[in-house]
């Protein structure tokens, strides 16, 4: 069997609601800078970031694939972004060769902002930590993604900030 391309595969027609029209506006190539913060009182690690957001399955979802580096080591990843019309929930699934290891970080949130929360395994015998991702798409040609660690006690601190501009 040949590989299935979810960007072009023919599917049952889908009428986009306003949230899916919003997701469609994100489609394109994006470039900018990522700041990774490894802990309190540690200078951020900055690196170039480039990615592509594509609509898949006739606009039901968007897929953000990207590449960058951390400490001069290459990384790549993918975030699937969805709005579940029935439950009125934003959901993401995120995999990354540096930040998530072998885990799929699944997050969800409600409201008009794309602001989702999930949790991840920190270490054997330790409580899970929280993770919050905020996608600021208020400007058509700019996109900012902020990701926060949340301690088991609920303290939140910035872990990654990605500032992007539409390329071409």
């Amino acid at each position: 069997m040949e590989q299935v391309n979810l960007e072009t595969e023919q599917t049952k027609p889908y009428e986009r609601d306003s949230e899916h029209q919003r997701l469609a506006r994100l489609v394109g190539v994006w470039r900018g800078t990522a700041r990774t913060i490894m802990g309190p009182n540690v200078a951020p690690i900055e690196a170039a970031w480039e990615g592509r957001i594509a609509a898949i399955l006739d606009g039901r979802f968007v897929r953000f694939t990207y590449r960058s580096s951390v400490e001069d080591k290459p990384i790549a990843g993918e975030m699937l972004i969805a709005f579940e019309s029935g439950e009125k929930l934003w959901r993401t699934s995120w995999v990354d060769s540096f930040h998530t290891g072998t885990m799929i970080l699944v997050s969800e949130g409600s409201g008009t902002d794309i602001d989702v929360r999930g949790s991840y395994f920190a270490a054997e015998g330790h409580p899970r930590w929280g993770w919050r991702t905020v996608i600021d798409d208020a400007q058509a040609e700019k996109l900012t993604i902020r990701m926060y660690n949340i301690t088991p006690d609920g303290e939140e601190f910035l872990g990654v900030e990605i500032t992007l501009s539409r390329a071409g």
Side-chain angles (χ1 to χ4, degrees), residues 67-128:
R67 69 171 64 104
S68 183
S69 64
V70 173
E71 297 178 324
D72 297 321
K73 295 179 180 84
I75 66 168
E78 174 178 293
M79 180 179 287
L80 192 63
I81 306 168
F83 183 78
E84 293 188 7
S85 301
E87 292 186 275
K88 307 289 188 225
L89 290 174
W90 293 102
R91 290 193 197 264
T92 63
S93 64
W94 179 43
V95 294
D96 180 295
S97 61
F98 175 77
H99 299 96
T100 67
T102 59
M103 164 187 71
I104 299 173
L105 183 59
V106 177
S107 301
E108 72 176 37
S110 59
T112 57
D113 295 333
I114 305 174
D115 185 339
V116 296
R117 292 174 187 257
S119 68
Y120 64 92
F121 174 82
E124 189 70 39
H126 293 273
R128 295 179 70 84

Side-chain angles (χ1 to χ4, degrees), residues 6 54 145:
L6 299 181
I145 302 169

